[in-house]
Amino acid sequence: MHTIALSEFRAHASAMIDLVERGETVLILRHGKPVAELVPAKPAAPEKIPSWKRPIEPLHIVRPDGKTGAQLIVEEREGGW
């Protein structure tokens, strides 16, 4: 655990956040008394993550002619249809 005065925390906030990202805890003091504790965030359980933030698997559509969607768009733009 790292202990730091509030004035020093303000001057080195980015470095303190880096420490917390690495799993350390930072205790912030004001006039020598603890006022805050900066701790690493706990990862959210998958069921608590909103559906719009969950990773998605892209669609893999296989056409009989083997062309991708991008190839079809290029052909259409070049007048291939």
Side-chain angles (χ1 to χ4, degrees), residues 11-72:
H12 304 288
S14 181
M16 296 299 108
I17 296 295
D18 291 342
L19 283 173
V20 173
E21 271 187 329
R22 286 186 248 135
E24 300 285 335
T25 299
V26 176
L27 181 64
I28 302 169
L29 306 176
R30 178 185 278 168
H31 306 294
K33 295 180 183 172
V35 292
E37 192 172 79
L38 199 54
V39 297
K42 296 176 186 170
E47 61 272 358
K48 297 221 179 210
I49 297 174
S51 61
W52 56 272
K53 278 189 143 182
R54 292 186 197 133
I56 59 168
E57 247 338 280
L59 292 175
H60 295 286
I61 300 172
V62 180
R63 295 177 38 93
D65 58 6
K67 294 182 180 179
T68 65
Q71 289 170 328
L72 294 171

